[in-house]
Amino acid sequence: MSATFASPDDHTIPLHIIAADDMDAWRAEQSEDTLAWVNANGFAGHIGQTLLIPGPGGRPAMALAGFGTGAKRARGRFHLAAAAARLPKATYRITSGLPDDRAEREALGWLLSAYKFDRYIQAGEEGAALVTPAGIDANRITAIAAGETLTRDLINTPACDMGPAELEDAARDLAARHGATVSVVHGDDLLSENFPLIHTVGRASDRAPRLIDIRWGDAGPAITLVGKGVCFDTGGLNLKPGVSMGLMKKDMGGAANVLGLAHMIMATALNVRLRVLIPAVENAVSGNAFRPGDILPSRKGLSIEINNTDAEGRLVLADALTFAQEEDPDLIISMATLTGAARVAVGPDLAPYFCDDEGFADTLEMAALQTDDPVWRMPFHTPYESMIEPGIADLDNAPKGGFAGSITAALFLRRFVSTSTYAHFDVYGWNPADAPARPKGGTGQATRALLNLIRDKSIS
């Protein structure tokens, strides 16, 4: 399948989307031959059910796709994608049954169902294609699908082929596609340019750390996206056990998310001044690795006691957030695969976020509902500030006790943003099991909801 819409031709097959609770009304309008075929094949409108109905000469006269019941639809998303994955290879045109308020979401789900990470295996042939449904913005939907595809590809690529240099290459490719500019601070230049935390976390690897800085647009509100780009996380000297290290290729999922979102913003030509900052490092082990007990300086001047070298993501983000705040943008958004505590709190499907701005939260949560891109607001609980103050330094990167780990990490990051509206997303970036339009593997989270929010800001 292709992540683009098809052009109609003489062989395009009409596709009827039928909810299970609408089956009786649909059946009442059909011929005896059609009803006999539907009954013989047991089609009942369940989510994921499909059926081709033959016409004269054996060619398909139409196709049916089940849309389930309201109760079943409430338990999932991208219901048409479940049918798209089962339909035979052909080009389809939706003729009836697609609710207007779900048209864009279901069309996007169809495109996303085409995704397969095939960098290391032979690609299979494409499957069912869809003509652009009536009333939707095809350019916008394909831009969103392309942004999500970029995010998935970056996360799914193993660290042997997705280190800091390769992440920089991906950022440069994206910038070139949209006429954006890129500047990068590499290796020991991070020290002379005052990014001590990014350098410290990445210095133990033979793949040099760097700060990637993309700029695009010259009008509208200033939006800065900051993505954690830890391309592999061993845990450093606080070495992770093997079972915890297995998925650490996805520890650059925050960077992958902001790059995918950046593509969506640029491809849809939103009226914003966009900046993307990615501290790209590998948290490795060698003789010059930073140690538990070290006290490190930051770009902001705050000192940080290291109580766990496996809490490195907040360190590289701290310097990048300070750098972002120096230009006082209207909005700073950070995205990171930051804490296991967030997964314990809300599981892999929800994107937890922290923000003190009620207007931002209200707009985001409405956008999340409109885009089937679920989020969950978590508290910047100020009374926990004392938990990140160790006494011998300004901040502690890994408070002891194990309580409120996602909140204390978010509070740590908030110390590096002073005046801009700030939102932090502690994403997982991974689907642990296949779901319609969302195969097992890397995934974007909250990016579609944020795109709607940023679009609203660009026209307000």
Side-chain angles (χ1 to χ4, degrees):
M1 301 181 199
S2 172
T4 57
F5 293 110
S7 299
D9 59 34
D10 293 341
H11 303 299
T12 299
I13 300 172
L15 176 64
H16 299 271
I17 301 171
I18 306 172
D21 29 23
D22 292 336
M23 275 297 297
D24 289 345
W26 183 84
R27 290 168 61 90
E29 298 177 353
Q30 307 309 309
S31 68
E32 290 186 6
D33 287 346
T34 296
L35 288 177
W37 187 259
V38 168
N39 291 338
N41 286 277
F43 183 86
H46 301 313
I47 291 173
Q49 266 194 314
T50 62
L51 180 64
L52 289 183
I53 296 180
R59 298 180 71 99
M62 70 177 87
L64 310 181
F67 208 54
T69 63
K72 289 290 188 180
R73 289 193 297 273
R75 295 178 61 179
R77 46 183 159 150
F78 298 132
H79 310 298
L80 185 57
R86 293 180 171 90
L87 284 167
K89 181 180 179 180
T91 299
Y92 298 86
R93 180 186 71 256
I94 296 174
T95 304
S96 67
L98 181 61
D100 289 343
D101 64 344
R102 295 203 60 85
E104 286 203 348
R105 285 177 277 180
E106 297 300 339
L108 173 63
W110 185 297
L111 296 188
L112 293 179
S113 71
Y115 179 81
K116 184 176 182 181
F117 183 62
D118 56 11
R119 177 169 176 169
Y120 301 97
I121 59 175
Q122 184 173 351
E125 71 171 16
E126 293 188 350
L130 182 68
V131 174
T132 305
I136 75 163
D137 183 342
N139 291 333
R140 172 178 161 81
I141 298 304
T142 54
I144 294 171
E148 173 65 16
T149 295
L150 173 61
T151 294
R152 293 179 181 183
D153 282 346
L154 291 173
I155 296 174
N156 286 330
T157 302
C160 60
D161 291 323
M162 186 51 63
E166 290 80 9
L167 190 54
E168 177 186 334
D169 289 343
R172 289 188 181 278
D173 288 345
L174 179 64
R177 194 183 321 170
H178 295 290
T181 62
V182 182
S183 60
V184 182
V185 183
H186 293 92
D188 289 344
D189 288 344
L190 290 163
L191 292 176
S192 59
E193 296 291 332
N194 193 23
F195 298 104
L197 292 173
I198 299 172
H199 182 271
T200 296
V201 172
R203 72 190 183 200
S205 173
D206 60 359
R207 303 198 284 184
R210 63 205 67 204
L211 177 66
I212 303 163
D213 188 349
I214 302 172
R215 295 176 185 268
W216 175 88
D218 56 10
I223 310 291
T224 299
L225 310 177
V226 182
K228 173 186 169 186
V230 178
C231 295
F232 195 83
D233 181 18
T234 66
L237 292 178
N238 289 113
L239 195 68
K240 292 178 183 288
V243 68
S244 299
M245 211 183 298
L247 270 182
M248 283 301 99
K249 69 176 184 179
K250 79 171 186 69
D251 212 23
M252 40 63 71
N257 267 264
V258 300
L259 287 173
L261 175 55
H263 171 79
M264 297 176 196
I265 291 169
M266 294 185 287
T268 55
L270 297 189
N271 184 43
V272 297
R273 288 171 287 149
L274 176 66
R275 189 182 190 192
V276 180
L277 293 172
I278 296 173
V281 302
E282 182 175 30
N283 188 22
V285 178
S286 73
N288 68 339
F290 71 117
R291 296 165 291 267
D294 285 354
I295 296 179
L296 305 177
S298 67
R299 181 179 182 88
K300 189 172 182 177
L302 297 173
S303 58
I304 301 168
E305 182 183 14
I306 303 303
N307 279 308
N308 192 323
T309 62
D310 196 19
E312 84 299 329
R314 67 202 68 182
L315 300 177
V316 299
L317 288 172
D319 275 354
L321 287 170
T322 301
F323 192 41
Q325 181 61 89
E326 288 166 9
E327 292 193 356
D328 196 24
D330 299 289
L331 174 64
I332 297 175
I333 296 169
S334 61
M335 305 192 82
T337 52
L338 205 64
T339 69
R343 310 289 75 75
V344 173
V346 300
D349 199 34
L350 288 163
Y353 76 99
F354 299 79
C355 186
D356 286 329
D357 187 291
E358 295 298 330
F360 178 98
D362 291 345
T363 303
L364 178 72
E365 294 190 12
M366 180 61 69
L369 291 173
Q370 293 169 343
T371 57
D372 282 345
D373 196 11
V375 300
W376 195 264
R377 191 180 184 186
M378 301 280 278
F380 272 133
H381 189 54
T382 301
Y384 289 165
E385 289 278 1
S386 60
M387 296 170 65
I388 59 172
E389 296 170 344
I392 63 170
D394 294 312
L395 293 171
D396 182 339
N397 84 316
K400 295 179 176 61
F403 290 130
S406 183
I407 298 174
T408 55
L411 290 171
F412 180 99
L413 295 178
R414 190 175 67 169
R415 291 290 187 96
F416 298 90
V417 180
S418 53
T419 59
S420 299
T421 298
Y422 175 53
H424 164 62
F425 290 77
D426 192 342
V427 299
Y428 189 49
W430 190 263
N431 290 319
D434 287 332
R438 301 170 61 244
K440 181 178 179 180
T443 190
Q445 290 186 282
T447 51
R448 298 191 307 278
L450 283 167
L451 179 67
N452 274 22
L453 178 147
I454 293 168
R455 179 191 62 189
D456 291 346
K457 283 186 172 295
S458 73
I459 60 178
S460 60

